[in-house]
Amino acid sequence: SSHYWLSSNSLSLAIPTQLGQLGQLSYGFGVYDNKIGGTIPTELAQMTGIQQYFDLKQNSLTGPIPTEFGNLAALNTYFRLQHNSLDSTVPTELGNIPLYVDQTLNNNRLTGTVPTEIGQSGMIKQGVYFNSNSLTGTLPTQLGNVNLYNYMKFHSNKLSGAIPTQLGNLERLATGFNLTMNKLCSDVPTEVEALSSGLAAGEFLINEGNDLGTDCCHSLPDVYTCSPSPAPTVMPTYWCDDGAYMASDGTCTTCAIGRYRFNNDTIYSKWTRNNEWMSNCTLCPAGTYNVKTGQSACISCANGKTSSDDRASCTDCWP
């Protein structure tokens, strides 16, 4: 037999360990969209000849993801365990599966970090779905090696730290990118922000539920340590460096995301020191944006896009 398929029934018993003896399967194994409970038998990893799909999604499975699944070295299409109640860490061995389509583990109770091995092969093309779990730690830089065309979803976890610059390598991503509802911090890398130009409006999602634009040591002081802050610089003259404005106490303050300031000291004078123009940063003009603080100029949106009201991103123009 080439495949074993019992999907979309109302099966509610545990998966028999004897199914692991179906070593002759070559196409796929799918018992998804049922009510199957219990844990996943490690014996299923004996189906090493499966090439197309391994699908247990939308059941009531609990417990760990067997590390033995790393032995499914012939599986090259998709591996799906989403919408269960699996509560282990993500085994590093899953990086051994040479998938070309997607790896889908979303909507479980998975904990621990995202294994660096997931991105090392660079073979997954359709989607990486790890959203709606309880994953912690930082996003691996190796995810930038994945040759994705459609989705990367890590939203609704407990991930922290800065967004890796390497994710900007996902230049072929054309459908969706979602990192919202985590604990991500620091500035958004320009390379990552550039991915928004290849996605439809509303499909580049990173800001909601994060603390982007704020140093991680301020957002997560229990995890990151700030470098000692230098004493405020009181300007002996009447100007600040580019990307900053002069506060009322005479100190220079960095411009926020979406704003800029180019300080031409030739137009500064004692007469203008307390002028309102000197004591604020300027909102980026329409059609431009900034994703970093302390900028002296704004970035033009790509053709067919316009800036958001806060000038922190660009979205598709209305027809």
Side-chain angles (χ1 to χ4, degrees), residues 113-130:
T113 59
V114 180
T116 60
E117 290 81 0
I118 297 300
Q120 286 179 349
S121 70
M123 300 176 70
I124 302 176
K125 289 181 170 59
Q126 293 296 326
V128 175
Y129 305 86
F130 280 55

Side-chain angles (χ1 to χ4, degrees), residues 213-265:
T214 302
D215 284 342
C216 291
C217 62
H218 295 303
S219 299
L220 302 167
D222 295 337
V223 181
Y224 299 92
T225 301
C226 292
S227 300
S229 300
T233 301
V234 178
M235 301 301 292
T237 53
Y238 304 130
W239 56 84
C240 297
D241 291 336
D242 292 344
Y245 68 93
M246 185 178 291
S248 58
D249 62 358
T251 61
C252 292
T253 303
T254 300
C255 294
I257 290 174
R259 292 178 174 271
Y260 78 104
R261 185 173 182 79
F262 175 69
N263 293 320
N264 186 342
D265 58 15

